Amino acid sequence: ERTGAIVHCAASVRFDLPLEAAEAINVAGTERVVELCERARRPGAQGRLVHLSTAYAHGRPTELGRAAGAVRPPRVPTISAGTRTVGQLWGLLGNIDAVHGAYYLLMHGWFMVFPATEFWTRFSSCLAVGIAAAGAVALARQFVGRTSAVTAGVVFAILPRMTWAGIEARSYALTAAVAVWLTVLLVVSTRRQRPGLWAWYGVGLALATVLNVFMVLLVLVHAAHVATLRARRPAVAWAVATGAAVTAVAPFLFFCRTQIAQVHWISPLSAGTFVEILKKQYFDQSLAFAMCAAAILALPLVFRRLRPTDPGAQALIRLALAWVILPTAVMLAYSAVSEPIYYPRYLTYTAPA
């Protein structure tokens, strides 16, 4: 009898929700709330129902998006955030999407030069894939010959995960580029042992973490590589640079932890997670590509003569294995003991491996 208003804001905002499920939750659920309000309202009373809803529509891209020239999610959040003023963007990140803050700030600068259209928004990711492919070549060249290095770059560029990232106007392609070039800087720093290089490495690691919080797991990958060198001087220099970088970004990591509710839509680990690791993490929806890659990778296990004997190639393989396994294992472990955070596209930065 004392209720003056009812606020209804329960809904599913998943972009990949089937139409039937979205209708059952968001439409039928709202209808039930309206019915409840009508039954509960006293005769003659001025009851009030407040309904909070999203503004997305379900439909075929060819019929809606392309006909209207609209940009489809998740490009919408990128354009929405990137076209705000810096002050407005800062206010947004204080409430949501802090993990994407650095990317949104970069896109803010991008949109100051290029129009905020679907083409130019996606084109930024295309450029990032190209930069990442060049990094894959440069990294491989530190250990093996030119032919193998160029082959690595070509294979990386046509990975389904990277072709997807190249047209996805999000930070995933950029994380791959930053990760591979940061690893190139690590390898060069361990060999040249110049303080200036280690300083730049620490700065790069801090910026990479701000770009994507999960890239802090590169610390484990780089630690494994430094450990294989069995040399005290580069190990100490790496530890100092890494310690300074992690200390600098620790407040940012803790703040992002307060917005963990943003990924509550991620499903818990299940038998399907195994398929996501083997297929979706690097091959997206391409089962044929995944099977071909598995067959090629299995050849050295069957034929001894195909196994690399060059020390440089072996070192590169150890680095690549650590790069693939360690971040994935940590995210799976955290998802198992705390809350689900594993999602294949979040590990796009491991694709250069």
Side-chain angles (χ1 to χ4, degrees):
E1 294 181 355
R2 297 181 179 178
T3 302
I6 295 178
V7 179
H8 173 52
C9 57
S12 174
V13 295
R14 286 179 53 184
F15 293 126
D16 58 348
L17 195 67
L19 176 59
E20 293 77 11
E23 184 176 8
I25 297 172
N26 298 344
V27 179
T30 302
E31 290 176 345
R32 295 190 186 96
V33 173
V34 173
E35 293 173 359
L36 172 64
C37 294
E38 291 177 344
R39 292 198 306 269
R41 186 169 63 90
R42 292 173 297 165
Q46 297 295 322
R48 182 166 46 180
L49 169 63
V50 180
H51 179 211
L52 304 181
S53 176
T54 57
Y56 293 103
H58 184 285
R60 296 181 181 277
T62 54
E63 297 173 1
L64 292 178
R66 292 177 185 172
V71 181
R72 299 180 298 279
R75 273 66 62 191
V76 171
T78 299
I79 294 178
S80 175
T83 52
R84 298 170 187 245
T85 65
V86 175
Q88 292 172 337
L89 182 57
W90 182 261
L92 170 71
L93 301 179
N95 297 297
I96 194 173
D97 269 355
V99 293
H100 300 300
Y103 174 70
Y104 288 157
L105 185 60
L106 289 173
M107 292 306 294
H108 175 78
W110 177 268
F111 290 140
M112 292 180 67
V113 180
F114 303 102
T117 62
E118 183 168 8
F119 172 80
W120 287 108
T121 305
R122 294 177 185 272
F123 187 65
S124 62
S125 295
C126 293
L127 287 179
V129 171
I131 295 171
V137 176
L139 178 60
R141 194 68 182 88
Q142 301 295 318
F143 299 91
V144 295
R146 180 180 301 175
T147 301
S148 297
V150 173
T151 301
V154 171
V155 172
F156 166 80
I158 64 174
L159 274 179
R161 174 55 62 198
M162 294 315 303
T163 56
W164 168 87
I167 61 173
E168 188 77 359
R170 298 296 273 176
S171 63
Y172 303 114
L174 187 58
T175 62
V178 172
V180 70
W181 280 107
L182 184 63
T183 305
V184 172
L185 182 57
L186 169 74
V187 173
V188 173
S189 298
T190 57
R191 294 176 179 177
R192 298 186 181 181
Q193 283 301 306
R194 296 178 182 176
L197 290 176
W198 284 115
W200 280 113
Y201 172 80
V203 172
L205 180 60
L207 293 177
T209 304
V210 174
L211 177 64
N212 185 313
V213 291
F214 296 122
M215 289 181 70
V216 72
L217 298 177
L218 281 174
V219 169
L220 301 178
V221 179
H222 293 175
H225 175 69
V226 172
T228 62
L229 301 179
R230 299 180 180 179
R232 184 176 182 276
R233 187 179 176 186
V236 172
W238 172 85
V240 171
T242 300
V246 173
T247 301
V249 300
F252 172 75
L253 296 175
F254 285 118
F255 179 74
C256 290
R257 182 65 178 79
T258 65
Q259 297 182 357
I260 193 69
Q262 285 185 247
V263 293
H264 278 177
W265 54 267
I266 298 180
S267 302
L269 301 183
S270 63
T273 305
F274 185 71
V275 177
E276 291 183 333
I277 296 172
L278 295 181
K279 177 172 171 280
K280 289 187 177 181
Q281 187 162 312
Y282 299 115
F283 309 108
D284 200 29
Q285 303 298 329
S286 179
L287 178 61
F289 204 117
M291 295 182 67
C292 288
I296 293 173
L297 292 173
L299 288 177
L301 301 177
V302 178
F303 302 100
R304 184 182 296 271
R305 63 178 181 176
L306 296 179
R307 299 174 187 176
T309 57
D310 179 72
Q314 293 177 346
L316 181 60
I317 290 174
R318 288 192 294 268
L319 173 60
L321 287 175
W323 199 345
V324 170
I325 295 173
L326 294 179
T328 304
V330 170
M331 292 186 68
L332 289 173
Y334 187 92
S335 298
V337 303
S338 183
E339 50 196 327
I341 62 169
Y342 172 80
Y343 201 57
R345 65 183 62 177
Y346 290 169
L347 287 158
T348 302
Y349 70 92
T350 67

